[in-house]
C-alpha cells in the first residue's frame, strides 16, 4: 500500500547500516528530538491538557480546563501496579511552575504545587446518585462473600425506594415524547375555545339587535346571575 505522503531520507556516503543501524544513531540524536532532551533523568516532554479549572499561585489568574502545555512527565511511584506520573509545566501568564500528579486510586489528578483547584465538586449522595465503590469496598467485595451478599441486599433496597420516583419521572418523560399527539390535543382545545367564543359573540350580537343597543356587552359572570336571581 502507498503511504499518505512520500518520505525521502538522505543517507550520507559514509553511512553504514551494519555500523550505525539508523540515521538517528548516525546523527547521535533521539527519534523524539527536543522532547527527549531530559530522558536521561527519566523526564519526557509531552503535550499536557489541564484536567480541571485552577488558579495559578504566581499570577492569581484563572486557567481553564483544556488549556494545553508542554509538560515534563516523570514517573514518581506506583499505586499497586499502576504507575503514578507527575507533570511539571510553566504558566503561560507568568514565570510560575505548576506541578500535577495522577491519582489512580480516585481516577483523578491532584495538584502538587504552584496552583490551587477551583472547587466545582459536590457530594453525589446529596442528589441521591448511585455512589461508586471505594477501593476498600471493591477489595472486600472480591474476597468477602458475606459482605458481597449484604452489599447486594442494600443495593436492592435503595432501588426499591427509588423506583416510585423513577417511575413518575419516566411517565412524565414519556408524556412529552409524542409531539404529534400533544399538538393535536392543543389544536383541538383551541378549536373548542374558539367555537365557544364565536357562539357567545353571536348571542351578544342578537341581544344588542333586539334591545337596540350600540354598546358592547360584557361576558356574563356568576355574580351577575346571583344578583339577577335576587331581583
Amino acid at each position: 500500500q502507498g503511504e499518505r505522503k512520500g518520505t525521502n531520507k538522505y543517507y550520507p556516503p559514509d553511512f553504514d547500516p551494519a555500523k550505525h543501524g539508523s540515521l538517528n544513531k548516525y546523527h547521535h540524536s533521539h527519534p523524539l528530538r527536543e522532547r527527549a532532551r531530559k530522558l536521561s533523568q527519566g523526564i519526557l516532554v509531552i503535550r499536557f491538557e489541564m484536567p480541571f479549572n485552577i488558579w495559578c499561585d504566581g499570577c492569581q489568574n484563572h486557567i481553564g480546563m483544556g488549556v494545553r502545555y508542554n509538560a515534563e512527565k516523570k514517573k514518581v511511584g506506583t499505586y499497586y501496579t499502576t504507575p503514578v506520573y507527575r507533570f511539571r509545566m510553566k504558566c503561560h501568564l507568568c514565570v510560575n511552575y505548576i506541578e500535577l500528579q495522577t491519582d489512580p486510586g480516585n481516577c483523578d489528578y491532584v495538584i502538587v504545587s504552584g496552583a490551587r483547584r477551583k472547587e466545582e465538586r459536590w457530594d453525589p449522595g446529596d442528589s441521591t446518585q448511585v455512589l461508586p465503590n471505594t477501593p476498600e469496598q471493591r477489595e472486600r467485595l472480591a474476597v468477602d462473600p458475606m459482605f458481597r451478599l449484604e452489599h447486594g441486599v442494600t443495593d436492592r433496597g435503595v432501588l426499591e425506594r427509588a423506583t416510585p420516583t423513577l417511575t413518575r419521572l419516566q411517565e412524565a418523560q414519556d408524556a412529552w415524547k409524542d409531539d404529534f399527539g400533544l399538538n393535536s390535543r392543543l389544536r383541538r382545545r383551541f378549536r373548542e375555545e374558539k367555537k365557544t367564543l364565536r357562539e357567545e359573540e353571536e348571542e351578544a350580537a342578537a341581544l344588542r339587535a333586539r334591545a337596540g343597543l350600540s354598546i358592547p356587552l360584557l361576558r356574563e359572570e356568576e355574580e351577575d346571575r346571583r344578583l339577577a336571581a335576587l331581583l
Side-chain angles (χ1 to χ4, degrees), residues 14 21 23 102 149 153 179 190 193:
D14 57 343
L23 286 175
T102 58
L149 178 61
V153 173
D179 297 337
F190 286 161
E193 293 180 353

Side-chain angles (χ1 to χ4, degrees), residues 66 132 213:
L213 299 175

Side-chain angles (χ1 to χ4, degrees), residues 31-92:
L32 298 177
R33 300 296 189 273
E34 288 299 316
R35 292 177 53 194
R37 62 182 180 271
K38 296 184 178 180
L39 203 59
S40 60
Q41 307 173 29
I43 298 174
L44 177 65
V45 179
I46 65 166
R47 196 67 172 163
F48 182 80
E49 185 172 304
M50 193 62 65
F52 39 67
N53 296 312
I54 66 171
W55 300 97
C56 176
D57 285 344
C59 57
Q60 306 302 322
N61 282 314
H62 174 263
I63 300 176
M65 180 176 61
V67 178
R68 296 180 179 180
Y69 295 92
N70 293 330
E72 297 179 355
K73 174 184 175 183
K74 182 178 181 180
K75 182 179 177 181
V76 294
T78 57
Y79 174 79
Y80 293 99
T81 59
T82 304
V84 177
Y85 294 104
R86 182 171 296 179
F87 306 91
R88 185 174 186 266
M89 66 212 79
K90 180 179 174 296
C91 176
H92 66 288

